[in-house]
Amino acid sequence: MTSSSFQIVAYLYWLLLILVTTGSLFFAVLAFRQHKQQFAAIAAGGLAAALLIASVPAPGGASVFGTILGMLALGLAVVGGGPAALLALRLATHNSVTPGQHGGILVANAGSAASDSGVPAQAGTDEPGTGEARTDQAKPQHAVHEVLRGGLMIGILERLAVAGAILAGFPEALAIVVAIKGVGRFTELAAAEARERFIIGTLASLIWACACAALVQIAVA
């Protein structure tokens, strides 16, 4: 293969990888803003396609294109992780929870009428809700309380720290992020539903951030 042909192949390779990653980021933004599961699924498919392309040995030119890809992947990790976690939670819980008004979820108070009557406690995640401020009119306001507040900002900072640490060559920081989050949320995890959703949401968010960072690592390797 001549030098010019090699350069063309390298250019096409990086162009395709960047376009697919950009498309995934585009649908992730739509999913983040419009709270639609189908956009989150498309963004996940785009990320999977980008990882598949990146698995092909890079023909060179990683210095400039790798930087562009890194910026796109970091943005995709931060924005797309929230919708991805919500999609995982909806598949796991069939959207059976009531979101709170401050980014958390509603759980029944211990010893309340809602809890004593066997009404399922409403739980949530460290990710934003659907944007629909639903309240359960059948329950007295004092029977429930909101936990896991501020999940939107926590999730964004979490994925930014995780993806940034991996791209900077310091994957050990994942343990620090998980420890800080676990300690900070410990007192809010008394309800079994809250623990379940906390674990699912956190794992989905971390897996997404790690996959986005891995995309760059694989492509420039």
Side-chain angles (χ1 to χ4, degrees):
M1 181 180 292
T2 63
S3 176
S4 60
S5 299
F6 184 84
Q7 292 178 354
I8 293 175
V9 171
Y11 177 80
L12 292 177
Y13 169 87
W14 286 106
L15 179 62
L16 177 61
L17 184 56
I18 289 174
L19 284 177
V20 173
T21 306
T22 302
S24 180
L25 177 59
F26 173 77
F27 283 103
V29 172
L30 289 180
F32 184 84
R33 294 177 61 89
Q34 300 185 17
H35 311 290
K36 292 185 177 181
Q37 295 183 33
Q38 57 268 37
F39 290 147
I42 295 174
L47 176 57
L51 286 168
L52 183 62
I53 296 172
S55 65
V56 178
S63 57
V64 177
F65 292 110
T67 302
I68 298 174
L69 180 64
M71 296 174 62
L72 291 172
L74 188 61
L76 180 59
V78 172
V79 177
L86 281 177
L87 178 60
L89 285 166
R90 287 171 180 169
L91 292 175
T93 63
H94 305 288
N95 204 26
S96 60
V97 298
T98 301
Q101 297 181 349
H102 305 284
I105 43 80
L106 300 179
V107 299
N109 294 329
S112 68
S115 178
D116 294 340
S117 63
V119 177
Q122 303 300 322
T125 178
D126 258 7
E127 297 300 334
T130 60
E132 301 171 1
R134 304 195 307 268
T135 56
D136 193 338
Q137 300 298 333
K139 295 182 181 179
Q141 289 296 325
H142 65 273
V144 296
H145 67 284
E146 186 173 355
V147 297
L148 304 179
R149 296 163 57 127
L152 172 60
M153 184 54 62
I154 290 175
I156 289 175
L157 294 175
E158 169 190 81
R159 293 186 295 275
L160 178 62
V162 168
I166 295 176
L167 292 177
F170 185 53
E172 294 83 1
L174 271 71
I176 300 174
V177 173
V178 173
I180 293 174
K181 185 175 182 180
V183 171
R185 292 298 198 188
F186 179 76
T187 57
E188 301 180 84
L189 302 178
E193 297 87 350
R195 291 193 297 270
E196 177 187 27
R197 293 180 65 83
F198 174 81
I199 292 172
I200 295 174
T202 298
L203 287 178
S205 178
L206 291 176
I207 290 172
W208 180 273
C210 290
C212 291
L215 170 63
V216 182
Q217 300 283 56
I218 295 172
V220 301

